[in-house]
Amino acid sequence: MFEEELNELAEQHLVRTESAIRSAQGPRVLLDGGKEVIVLCSNNYLGLAEHPALRRAVRDALERYGLGMGASRLVSGTSELHEDLERRIASFKGTEAAIVFNSGYAANTGVIPALAAEGDVILSDALNHASIIDGCRLSRARTAVYRHRDMGHLEELLQEHRTSRRRLIVSDGVFSMDGDIAPLPDLVTLAGRYGATLMIDDAHATGVIGRKGRGTAEHFGMSGEVPIQMGTLGKALGSFGAYVAGDRGLIAWIRNRARSYVFSTSLPPALCAASMAALELVDQEPWRRERLWQNRTRLANGLTALGVLPAGAETPILPVIAGSSERALTAAHWLLREGILAPAIRPPSVPEGSARIRTTVMATHSDRDIDRSLSVFHHLKEEGILNGQRQS
Ligand code: PMP
């Protein structure tokens, strides 16, 4: 079954494979076969996934609560840890309330259809994450896609749809594949001017941007001005799951109406305990965020010197564009052979002609890890495998 389709994918260099890891998620990991590689593609930005405090929190909660909840949240799947975590997230984000989802994918595909339906219009950035795109599709609202970060285009679309019943603007805060940041002040202004509601996906912003790691709103000094803030617990926080933070009424509505929340077995309480431990560490170990940004500067400066870093990348996500999927695959194989794990990111994760190596730095990388990575990119550049250009 599907052999022909798979062959077709292979001809287009679009078959995806996985590398099994057999160690903890550090800056270096052991691959199946025993090879040690530098991880240059993980969203474990603060290095919390292997932190002793998270391990301890999980062990203690496992002892007390066991593993699975055996039911969805609204049946018998809510533990006191779920409620503690929701309160903790609300206080972290400075909102009245928060709700926890099983993943960011589940949050976006659940929340967006709860907020927009037939007769409404969703205005969505062209480079929003796939889970937002799928949430828009599930909602049956009309989706108007504006060019990436193009506020003039967004305003045109808002004008065009000003008589629709409701307007929801959705944007990644930090764009997952390009590492640039949404123009939040303009988004807030336009939402106000056209009576639209604004939702920001802080998957790659939580723990990473803002002075205290609170995300996009804090980064722009606009806490309190984004009514719907979604974020994930499985990236910088090193745990698993996701959240939506906002006012009490909004969260109560989502709790009643988000189908991925209502109809899915709830997150194991041990993971709630891990997420709470991680939120503490974001405050208690600020050196992690400082070190993350130092590492980011080191890698970004090196890639810029090589001429392979596109303008716009402002965060620890630093994309190196290869162009075709074939070139991206060649680059990824070369990197792996040289001890660096950073797979080829190809369509449909990124637009056609912009296949890339999406590098990410972590707080726990050493200078040597980064310099070693840069020297391999230097070779790739010399071999003509990376030119830093998109293919038209
Ligand atoms: N939103 C964005 C912007 C993401 O990058 C991701 C994960 N790649 C998600 C949502 C989904 O989050 P999760 O991995 O928790 O399902």
Side-chain angles (χ1 to χ4, degrees), residues 104-105 108 124-135 171-172 175-177 201 203-204 235:
Y105 189 89
N108 282 334
S124 176
D125 187 288
L127 293 190
N128 275 345
H129 188 257
S131 54
I132 294 179
I133 296 170
D134 293 355
S171 177
D172 280 17
F175 287 89
S176 57
M177 295 297 140
D201 176 335
H204 298 275
K235 295 184 167 68

Side-chain angles (χ1 to χ4, degrees), residues 5 24 26 30 37 44 64 66 100 117 146 166 184-185 187 213 253 283 297 359 369 377 381:
E5 285 85 346
L30 287 182
V37 291
N44 176 24
R64 177 155 182 182
V100 168
Y146 58 92
R166 242 190 257 128
L184 190 66
L187 288 169
W253 175 251
D283 288 344
T297 302
T359 73
D369 291 335
F377 277 110
K381 175 85 193 294

Side-chain angles (χ1 to χ4, degrees), residues 157-174:
L157 294 173
L158 282 164
Q159 285 269 15
E160 195 179 308
H161 295 288
R162 64 186 319 161
T163 56
S164 68
R165 193 177 55 182
R166 242 190 257 128
R167 287 155 300 285
L168 175 69
I169 303 172
V170 190
S171 177
D172 280 17
V174 169

Side-chain angles (χ1 to χ4, degrees), residues 35-109:
K35 185 180 169 92
E36 190 189 63
V37 291
I38 297 170
V39 183
L40 203 66
C41 55
S42 172
N43 304 316
N44 176 24
Y45 300 110
L46 297 176
L48 295 181
E50 58 165 352
H51 196 288
L54 270 71
R55 294 174 189 246
R56 204 163 41 241
V58 168
R59 264 196 305 267
D60 292 350
L62 263 182
E63 275 307 310
R64 177 155 182 182
Y65 299 93
L67 186 57
M69 286 300 291
S72 60
R73 285 289 301 269
L74 300 172
V75 179
S76 60
T78 296
S79 73
E80 53 190 339
L81 295 191
H82 291 85
E83 294 190 336
D84 290 348
L85 175 60
E86 288 174 345
R87 275 190 291 270
R88 184 71 187 80
I89 290 168
S91 108
F92 181 81
K93 295 290 287 186
T95 58
E96 279 180 10
I99 177 171
V100 168
F101 281 81
N102 290 356
S103 70
Y105 189 89
N108 282 334
T109 52

